[in-house]
Amino acid sequence: MTTTTEPEPLDETDSPESTDAPDVRYALPWHVATVAARRRETSSAVSLELDVPGWHGALPGQHVDVRLTAEDGYSTQRSYSLACPGTMGVARATMPTEATTARIALTVQVVEDGEVSPYLAEELVVGDQIELRGPIGHWFVWQPRDPQPVQLVGGGSGLVPLMSMVRTRHQAGSRAPFRLLTSVRTPADALYAAELDALASQDPGLEVTWAWTRQAPAGWTGPVGRLDADALAAACLPPEQHPHVFVCGPTPFVEHVASTLVSLGHDADRIRTERFGPTG
Ligand SMILES: Cc1cc2nc3c(=O)[nH]c(=O)nc-3n(C[C@H](O)[C@H](O)[C@H](O)COP(=O)(O)OP(=O)(O)OC[C@H]3O[C@@H](n4cnc5c(N)ncnc54)[C@H](O)[C@@H]3O)c2cc1C
């Protein structure tokens, strides 16, 4: 793998929703990031902590493009959400203008037979380098100074950018009421379970609800299966509180959850979505 850093054209890989964002384009350079630590989250997911010289910070919810280049020059890239944005609780307008080395984190869920995710999750070791550019996305972001209630709904690895929001809220000392509903197949697939339990147990402003689609933990008395209107109504902040809503996961999950929340009375304009389909 090589780590070239030639200039790139203006970035145009934002999520579709960001067309509503201010008409600002960022020329994003490729950074060479070094793997500083790796942590196994589940049998098929790994978190990578990356040291990135020249990183100017990010807001929770944003993602990066990762580019891999083979010896023969073949190159491919994929999008990964920041699990930890590196510069916590700092609004873009007040971010340092001087380049700094920051540590960011990604969490990669292995897609069987995938080209990039098995390499990132299973083969990268501490000290290896990869190229990345970002932060990308100006729509699916939570502003740490915003005191409004927030409802997060994640499916599978769609929890990653939502975890970035939860971590940022904690580190920024925000008191914005947060509720997180995270849907996973089985307890063995639950990302960040211990950290979320610890954060929720010490902070009455953060409520975390797990939903299981295939197998629940021993002693579970609730339903098992796809989130339906009853489950969403029970776990989510009521529409009367006008929460900001962030929904992330596979495309069918996101569409189902968002349309169900609208049918429950949530304002469609307050629902922001991120789809983890193949990078297009
Ligand atoms: C904005 C954005 C943020 C993302 N953030 C994360 C993240 O934080 N963590 C993470 O693990 N992934 C994330 N993804 C998904 C990631 O970009 C890749 O799509 C994923 O890692 C698969 O890449 P691959 O090269 O291993 O598979 P590929 O070689 O691209 O695909 C192999 C096969 O799997 C299918 N496939 C590809 N991607 C997915 C997918 N996501 N789910 C199910 N099937 C798929 C393909 O259609 C193909 O059939 C994000 C995607 C987007 C668009």
Side-chain angles (χ1 to χ4, degrees):
M1 186 180 66
T2 60
T3 54
T4 53
T5 55
E6 73 273 15
E8 283 292 314
L10 291 175
D11 178 74
E12 293 183 352
T13 60
D14 253 343
S15 56
E17 294 89 339
S18 66
T19 53
D20 290 335
D23 186 23
V24 178
R25 302 272 180 93
Y26 294 92
L28 295 170
W30 287 97
H31 299 272
V32 178
T34 303
V35 180
R38 40 175 293 137
R39 182 176 62 254
R40 182 156 292 284
E41 300 285 358
T42 69
S43 63
S44 59
V46 165
S47 285
L48 298 169
E49 291 184 21
L50 300 163
D51 283 339
V52 193
W55 184 255
H56 286 270
L59 286 168
Q62 292 187 298
H63 64 276
V64 295
D65 286 340
V66 170
R67 178 167 71 179
L68 303 178
T69 305
E71 298 286 337
D72 64 2
Y74 170 75
S75 180
T76 189
Q77 62 190 57
R78 299 289 185 274
S79 301
Y80 291 95
S81 294
L82 293 159
C84 163
T87 302
M88 296 296 207
V90 181
R92 182 176 293 282
T94 59
M95 281 177 186
T97 52
E98 293 298 317
T100 54
T101 295
R103 183 166 294 189
I104 64 171
L106 310 179
T107 300
V108 180
Q109 173 73 48
V110 172
V111 170
E112 266 182 49
D113 302 325
E115 186 180 11
V116 170
S117 59
Y119 174 78
L120 295 177
E122 309 297 353
E123 293 188 37
L124 271 188
V125 295
V126 171
D128 282 351
Q129 294 187 319
I130 57 173
E131 285 181 295
L132 58 80
R133 68 175 177 183
I136 299 169
H138 309 286
W139 172 252
F140 194 82
V141 294
W142 175 65
Q143 300 286 347
R145 292 181 185 153
D146 189 336
Q148 291 298 307
V150 173
Q151 179 64 56
L152 309 172
V153 187
S157 57
L159 176 58
V160 178
L162 310 182
M163 190 65 187
S164 182
M165 296 178 190
V166 170
R167 285 171 166 159
T168 299
R169 174 185 176 278
H170 177 68
Q171 294 197 6
S174 164
R175 293 187 180 170
F178 260 45
R179 271 199 201 174
L180 167 65
L181 171 58
T182 176
S183 172
V184 290
R185 290 177 178 171
T186 75
D189 300 307
L191 296 172
Y192 318 125
E195 184 178 349
L196 281 171
D197 285 350
L199 286 171
S201 69
Q202 62 188 245
D203 182 352
L206 172 66
E207 288 182 46
V208 177
T209 303
W210 294 90
W212 317 102
T213 61
R214 293 194 183 167
Q215 182 200 324
W220 179 260
T221 54
V224 174
R226 197 166 89 138
L227 287 175
D228 59 14
D230 287 345
L232 284 164
C236 293
L237 288 163
E240 298 75 39
Q241 290 192 22
H242 304 293
H244 297 302
V245 181
F246 295 90
V247 185
C248 185
T251 300
F253 172 89
V254 168
E255 291 177 354
H256 168 70
V257 168
S259 62
T260 305
L261 288 173
V262 171
S263 75
L264 288 170
H266 285 269
D267 185 349
D269 291 344
R270 300 183 80 86
I271 301 176
R272 299 184 181 208
T273 60
E274 183 99 284
R275 296 162 176 79
F276 271 15
T279 306

